[in-house]
């Protein structure tokens, strides 16, 4: 097994209220990607393989980082949270928040209902999301050399939740904390992938860049 560094995409279109509109980087998201790419080059970060999902925000982040030979894998795509939230509103009367603070209560409720199969006709089941996350990362971990993976916060949260044995509430809390363009690392320990880095933004630590430490 080899270690995997997971990267959340740069800030997307925060004003969107549907999956298609959300799936593009904001101007700040492009800048976050450029800063992260420069940081990895300056620190001579070593990786032999690069992957990303097939969503526009993943591809734009990888391009802004100036990553080369990127393998696109749809298993690394985000869950469709907008569609899940709409289904929860229609089926259970759970209002969709309009600000980040509202998601602190909203996301755990959505995750719990989704995992319990209480959302009719979801875009995919919780178990399918679990399975594709695990299968993609297990396959990447079996390859040669350290890997870099550009993906989304929900998938990173699922990966961390699986590594730590978290329930849906714990996984939701992990997801809420993940910043745009943040770094996370899973390292093989005792034959299992274990988290050794979470939510690092070294490229945004300078005081002049603190404004770019965004969650949405």
């Amino acid at each position: 097994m080899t270690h995997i560094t997971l990267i959340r995409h740069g800030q997307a279109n925060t004003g969107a209220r549907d999956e298609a509109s959300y799936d593009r980087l904001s101007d700040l998201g492009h800048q976050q990607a450029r800063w992260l790419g420069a940081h990895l080059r300056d620190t001579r970060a070593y990786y032999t393989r690069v992957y990303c999902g097939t969503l526009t925000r993943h591809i734009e982040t990888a391009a802004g980082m100036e990553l080369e030979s990127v393998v696109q894998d749809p298993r690394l795509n985000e869950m469709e949270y907008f569609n899940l939230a709409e289904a929860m509103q229609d089926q259970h009367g759970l209002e969709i928040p309009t600000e980040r603070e509202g998601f602190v209560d909203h996301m755990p409720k959505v995750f719990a209902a989704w995992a319990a199969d209480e959302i009719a006709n979801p875009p995919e089941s919780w178990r399918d999301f679990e399975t594709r996350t695990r299968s993609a990362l297990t396959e990447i971990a079996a390859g040669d050399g350290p890997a870099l993976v550009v993906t989304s916060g929900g998938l990173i949260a699922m990966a961390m939740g699986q590594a730590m044995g978290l329930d849906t509430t714990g996984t939701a809390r992990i997801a809420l904390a993940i910043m745009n363009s943040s770094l996370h690392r899973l390292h093989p320990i005792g034959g299992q992938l274990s988290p050794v880095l979470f939510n690092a933004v070294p490229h945004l630590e300078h005081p002049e860049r603190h404004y770019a430490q965004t969650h949405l």
Side-chain angles (χ1 to χ4, degrees):
M1 296 178 73
T2 185
H3 77 251
I4 301 172
T5 300
L6 300 163
I7 296 172
R8 185 188 178 194
H9 59 80
Q11 184 189 62
N13 178 22
T14 58
R17 290 296 177 266
D18 60 75
E19 300 291 340
S21 300
Y22 180 72
D23 192 25
R24 58 182 172 83
L25 294 188
S26 66
D27 290 342
L28 178 57
H30 284 289
Q31 181 62 72
Q32 290 167 335
R34 290 192 292 269
W35 280 333
L36 179 54
H39 169 78
L40 294 179
R41 290 189 294 275
D42 290 345
T43 57
R44 299 183 182 180
Y46 178 67
Y47 47 86
T48 60
R49 298 169 294 138
V50 183
Y51 301 84
C52 77
T54 60
L55 298 175
T56 298
R57 56 190 184 273
H58 300 158
I59 296 168
E60 289 181 339
T61 299
M65 294 173 63
E66 299 184 20
L67 301 177
E68 298 179 351
S69 302
V70 181
V71 176
Q72 296 181 21
D73 186 338
R75 292 178 299 175
L76 298 170
N77 288 351
E78 180 65 296
M79 58 184 166
E80 296 184 20
Y81 193 82
F82 283 105
N83 291 336
L84 289 167
E86 287 181 357
M88 280 292 289
Q89 181 170 267
D90 294 343
Q91 298 171 27
H92 301 283
L94 182 64
E95 292 295 325
I96 301 174
T98 57
E99 72 291 323
R100 178 174 179 266
E101 289 70 22
F103 285 97
V104 173
D105 291 324
H106 187 267
M107 187 173 286
K109 292 177 181 177
V110 172
F111 277 22
W114 186 23
D117 292 326
E118 294 172 355
I119 301 177
N121 301 314
E124 68 178 326
S125 70
W126 174 268
R127 274 157 291 284
D128 285 346
F129 185 41
E130 284 184 310
T131 298
R132 69 173 168 92
T133 299
R134 183 178 289 108
S135 67
L137 296 185
T138 297
E139 185 177 305
I140 292 170
D144 295 327
L148 205 63
V149 176
V150 180
T151 180
S152 289
L155 187 135
I156 294 170
M158 176 62 78
M160 291 289 173
Q162 290 174 346
M164 294 186 289
L166 299 180
D167 60 12
T168 57
T169 299
T171 302
R173 293 191 180 282
I174 288 284
L176 288 163
I178 294 174
M179 289 188 282
N180 297 118
S181 73
S182 54
L183 296 159
H184 314 256
R185 186 165 296 133
L186 295 168
H187 198 279
I189 299 175
Q192 302 291 329
L193 287 173
S194 298
V196 296
L197 181 71
F198 176 73
N199 221 22
V201 285
H203 56 300
L204 304 178
E205 293 294 356
H206 191 281
E208 293 181 357
R209 296 183 183 178
H210 283 181
Y211 75 93
Q213 295 182 7
T214 57
H215 293 85
L216 294 177

